[in-house]
Amino acid sequence: MPQTPPFSAMFDSSGYNRNLYQSAEDSCGGLYYHDNNLLSGSLEALIQHLVPNMDYYPDRTYIFTFLLSSRLFMHPYELMAKVCHLCVEHQRLNDPDSDKNQIRKIAPKILQLLTEWTETFPYDFRDERMMRNLKDLAHRIASGEETYRKNVQQMMQCLIRKLAALSQYEEVLAKISSTTTDRLTVLKTKPQSIQRDIITVCNDPYTLAQQLTHIELERLNYIGPEEFVQAFVQKDPLDNDKSCYSEQKKTRNLEAYVEWFNRLSYLVATEICMPVKKKHRARMIEYFIDVARECFNIGNFNSLMAIISGMNMSPVSRLKKTWAKVKTAKFDILEHQMDPSSNFYNYRTALRGAAQRSLTAHSSREKIVIPFFSLLIKDIYFLNEGCANRLPNGHVNFEKFWELAKQVSEFMTWKQVECPFERDRKILQYLLTVPVFSEDALYLASYESEGPENHIEKDRWKSLRSSLLGRV
């Protein structure tokens, strides 16, 4: 069985390998090339191009790109049904008299295609219709040879393990979200003296940055590449069906990751606004500046950005007396790195540097690249919006999908990095489950710490005291 190479192998020196094994019939079989690059094709021709035959196996970049983008035109289970049909018909897998030698030649190729599909897009197979087709085709391949039987078994076990891990992860997420409460409720019921803060749980910024990296990598790891595309699925104009895949956008892991970013921002703001004494608030700000700097050094840009956005929330930034006690030089450098001007030019330069370091890294520690996720989604969104999925002649605009696949496959490389740091359950538990203030509660805590500066703030303070604390 040929092994699926790692994702980084899909890149050539110029970025993306778009040269496919082009046979004569491709150029006139509904596929259009320029300089040996596939630019467009009819949906049917592209599906044909995915299916191996005796003398042909599709390029790996093509398999990834087509499986990723095809869901904009049809359900994965419909594609799977077509692929199975083509495999069975073309290779006469259903013909008892078919040549055993021929089957021996084609079976490993079909099995390799199925392996790549189940390894890279395992979540497609949560659909019972997908699983049925997969089992049927795998059974046809396996019935002939003992070797294939073992390989099929291996592939199925690996897929089932991945899907079981996903279900377990989703249960953990559901449990976490059902236990989190608003910090204000806790403050009302617990006296201030026994309130823990993050520094009492972890007083070393470097250790906290490592634990944040654990959470980031775990959550990244569960995002399927298809979620980036499914987030933008709309009706395909050439599809007569009422909708195209929109009834099951399945972007839960992507959404959970965005929710984590928001939670971390609110946690940072809560920890800063909570202390009664100004010097404690200033110490907390300095602590988070150090955590953010360590995140930057690790290559964890998502936590870095979440911390900066928490510190820039209005309830925190208005605490002028507190900020006056803080040495802000380090914070200014970090803000400069993540400055949104010129389309995040500084951050993108730092990200490229981290990605470069990752490619030549000898240790997992140097391989870590955790992008600022909202910006990654935004880039993919604009790429999707900026180009049509179909050309005026009805062909699929494959040039667009090469670009999309290039961005998503880079993410795929980053999400597969093993976290090299030791886990600290106590710190992780705190980061994931400690209650945080809502926006209103943050403003209230901020006004209680440093009083309102004008009439608008005064009125807001009064209404928050009465609605949140029941005091006038």
Side-chain angles (χ1 to χ4, degrees), residues 67-81:
L67 290 180
L68 178 72
S69 55
S70 61
R71 62 203 68 238
L72 289 167
F73 306 99
M74 65 202 302
H75 296 259
Y77 78 85
E78 292 171 316
L79 176 62
M80 186 62 163

Side-chain angles (χ1 to χ4, degrees), residues 124-240:
D124 283 352
F125 295 87
R126 292 184 105 179
D127 185 325
E128 197 38 57
R129 295 164 293 194
M130 287 289 286
M131 216 41 152
R132 257 200 315 275
N133 274 323
L134 176 69
K135 284 175 179 168
D136 176 54
L137 188 53
H139 174 71
R140 286 175 191 272
I141 292 169
S143 56
E145 294 268 343
E146 184 55 37
T147 344
Y148 303 149
R149 222 191 324 275
K150 272 189 192 148
N151 289 333
V152 163
Q153 221 173 353
Q154 212 179 343
M155 174 184 77
M156 296 304 285
Q157 281 167 352
C158 187
L159 175 60
I160 287 159
R161 262 201 312 276
K162 282 186 176 180
L163 296 181
L166 175 66
S167 298
Q168 212 176 348
Y169 169 69
E170 286 174 343
E171 278 169 32
V172 171
L173 283 187
K175 209 169 175 181
I176 288 171
S177 62
S178 67
T179 54
T180 51
T181 46
D182 177 20
R183 190 80 163 242
L184 195 65
T185 325
V186 183
L187 281 180
K188 281 182 184 174
T189 52
K190 273 188 179 181
Q192 188 75 27
S193 59
I194 57 165
Q195 274 298 317
R196 286 189 310 164
D197 67 20
I198 199 151
I199 296 177
T200 61
V201 175
C202 173
N203 64 3
D204 175 28
Y206 185 54
T207 305
L208 192 79
Q210 291 182 341
Q211 298 311 303
L212 287 170
T213 304
H214 259 295
I215 296 170
E216 297 282 353
L217 283 172
E218 181 182 47
R219 300 212 166 190
L220 266 192
N221 186 42
Y222 280 103
I223 297 170
E226 71 284 351
E227 294 190 47
F228 290 103
V229 174
Q230 281 160 199
F232 311 128
V233 164
Q234 283 163 340
K235 188 176 178 331
D236 179 20
L238 297 190
D239 187 15
N240 301 323

Side-chain angles (χ1 to χ4, degrees), residues 236 336 425:
D236 179 20
H336 176 69
R425 285 181 66 85

Side-chain angles (χ1 to χ4, degrees), residues 198-199 202-213 283-295 298 307 330 427:
I198 199 151
I199 296 177
C202 173
N203 64 3
D204 175 28
Y206 185 54
T207 305
L208 192 79
Q210 291 182 341
Q211 298 311 303
L212 287 170
T213 304
R283 181 175 166 229
M284 192 61 82
I285 290 174
E286 285 179 346
Y287 172 80
F288 276 119
I289 292 171
D290 287 339
V291 175
R293 194 172 61 161
E294 294 302 345
C295 286
I298 287 170
I307 293 168
K330 286 187 283 188
I427 300 170

